[in-house]
Amino acid sequence: MSARRPVLLDCDPGIDDALAIAYLAAEHRAGRIALQGVVATAGNVGIDDTVRNALAWLDLAGAGAEVSVAAGAAGATVVPHAFTPETHGPRGAGYAALPEREEGTTARALDARSGARLWVDLARAHPGELVAVVTGPSSTLAAALDLEPALPRLLRRLVVMGGTYRGHPGNTTPVSEWNVDVDPEAADAVCLAWEAAREADPAVAPAWWCGLNLTERAVWTPERSERLLAQAASADGRLVSLARHLVDALRFYFEFHDSVGEGYLAQVHDPLVAWLALHSEAAVTEPVHLRVECAGEHTRGMTVEDRRGHRGRAANAHLVVDLSVPGGPDAVLDEVMAALADPG
Ligand code: BDR
Ligand code: CA
């Protein structure tokens, strides 16, 4: 990874999004990336809460006011947005009581631009350099593509947490993953935009898609929460506060996973994807032509990969099918934790 790579995160915090925010903020504080912007998109909870949470987690993570935060899409592109507070808690932060912010009392203010505008402005400001990470629905990205159809060519790389592949079951319907399921039209618009961009210019990088078949392997356990608290106890006060809030949030996520039969643990998709965006050398990828099913009664939200050229189209996506990391996703979560403790 080059030094100070500009990065944009579009998220819907969200408990595992909070880990992704804290991780990227830590990398930014340490000077290894330049986190240029965070877009909060409506997701499991509504836009007011995802914005509130993005701001609060950035404050807790010690990110400077130079990180722009903008409100993205308030709902899905075509259909009514389905909120699922049972997954991340009524306000998207589990049991964490996030500090309430009063307007004007902290250095960080919500950017006046829309999330879609921030996408476009940052991509234009860093042509060919910006690494963009999406850990929520693609609704804001789809709007950004309407504003600037050349976006795929302007980015260095797009990394999306979305979909499920290779027969791995969905977490929302038998075949769909939540980020895609909540706004399939937006996810499919992303696929089509990358298809058009690559047909016009094969040098455009295919979008990276990380599905549940990969991300469900990133498992945060209660024991890891204990380790995070112990690590914080021997560090500075900022980490103590961040760790306590994360641990309170994660406790809710453990209970959710337990309630759906996964056990008292949490699959933390989003920090794995954020880490991968900064460690491209660790991704094992396969080129495919990707579309999202938007119509099927039983298959809406399904990510349909063409590996054999049935559609006669060039690859618009790289599926991240594995990690070439000794220790696998657990080692990645160790690195995420180590980054959080880095005083910067
Ligand atoms: C995705 O859905 C959200 O609930 C998580 O934050 C993650 O981005 C996993 O399906
Ligand atoms: Ca998310």
Side-chain angles (χ1 to χ4, degrees), residues 265-283:
L265 46 77
Q267 294 159 342
V268 287
H269 317 266
D270 298 344
L272 179 72
V273 171
W275 181 91
L276 263 169
L278 306 191
H279 297 84
S280 51
E281 71 287 350

Side-chain angles (χ1 to χ4, degrees), residues 11-14 16-17 44 88 135-136 179 270:
C11 56
D12 65 329
D16 53 338
D17 300 82
N44 292 83
H88 294 265
T135 62
N179 286 340
D270 298 344

Side-chain angles (χ1 to χ4, degrees), residues 5-343:
R5 168 80 56 214
V7 175
L8 165 68
L9 173 66
D10 186 334
C11 56
D12 65 329
I15 295 168
D16 53 338
D17 300 82
L19 284 166
I21 291 172
Y23 168 64
L24 292 177
E27 293 293 311
H28 174 79
R29 283 190 306 108
R32 289 187 285 269
I33 64 168
L35 183 58
Q36 297 285 343
V38 172
V39 172
T41 293
N44 292 83
V45 291
I47 189 71
D48 290 347
D49 282 325
T50 59
V51 168
R52 172 197 86 121
N53 296 347
L55 291 165
W57 287 119
L58 281 166
D59 285 348
L60 285 165
E66 72 281 2
V67 180
S68 303
V69 182
T77 313
V78 174
V79 290
H81 193 94
F83 298 109
T84 54
E86 69 279 5
T87 310
H88 294 265
R91 301 197 66 186
Y95 293 122
L98 294 181
E100 287 299 336
R101 317 169 87 250
E102 284 166 37
E103 209 47 56
T105 57
T106 51
R108 188 192 323 286
L110 187 62
D111 202 292
R113 289 170 289 183
S114 71
R117 174 53 61 189
L118 184 61
W119 265 92
V120 173
D121 286 354
L122 290 178
R124 286 179 180 160
H126 305 278
E129 289 300 315
L130 188 69
V131 171
V133 189
V134 176
T135 62
S138 294
S139 322
T140 312
L141 172 53
L145 287 161
D146 283 343
L147 285 179
E148 176 51 284
L151 198 57
R153 192 160 42 76
L154 289 169
L155 297 179
R156 180 181 183 85
R157 185 178 307 112
L158 171 70
V159 185
V160 181
M161 190 289 120
T164 188
Y165 307 93
R166 312 289 151 104
H168 190 92
N171 62 1
T172 305
T173 75
V175 294
S176 71
E177 177 280 329
W178 195 84
N179 286 340
V180 170
D181 189 85
V182 76
D183 195 352
E185 283 78 10
D188 198 43
V190 174
C191 295
L192 287 172
W194 257 259
E195 175 184 316
R198 286 192 36 84
E199 273 176 6
D201 179 1
V204 172
W208 283 19
W209 289 78
C210 308
L212 298 175
N213 46 311
L214 177 76
T215 62
E216 284 188 354
R217 291 166 52 200
V219 172
W220 195 284
T221 59
E223 180 272 335
R224 187 177 284 284
S225 282
E226 289 305 318
R227 267 198 282 151
L228 179 62
L229 289 172
Q231 175 178 287
S234 58
D236 56 41
R238 180 197 55 76
L239 185 58
V240 173
S241 177
L242 173 64
R244 283 193 185 138
H245 284 90
L246 285 172
V247 165
D248 285 347
L250 282 156
R251 210 168 56 250
F252 189 97
Y253 219 22
F254 295 157
E255 290 177 5
F256 164 72
H257 283 85
D258 205 18
S259 75
V260 294
E262 298 288 348
Y264 194 74
L265 46 77
Q267 294 159 342
V268 287
H269 317 266
D270 298 344
L272 179 72
V273 171
W275 181 91
L276 263 169
L278 306 191
H279 297 84
S280 51
E281 71 287 350
V284 179
T285 61
E286 283 182 27
V288 300
H289 183 266
L290 186 65
R291 291 294 305 269
V292 177
E293 176 58 73
C294 294
E297 183 184 350
H298 304 289
T299 52
R300 182 171 157 81
M302 183 178 188
T303 37
V304 185
E305 54 173 301
D306 179 5
R307 297 161 78 181
R308 292 188 167 172
H310 292 290
R311 299 185 191 124
R313 303 280 182 184
N316 60 352
H318 274 177
L319 298 187
V320 183
V321 292
D322 206 353
L323 300 175
S324 61
V325 180
D330 227 38
V332 170
L333 295 182
D334 287 347
E335 281 198 26
V336 168
M337 271 179 54
L340 300 192
D342 190 333

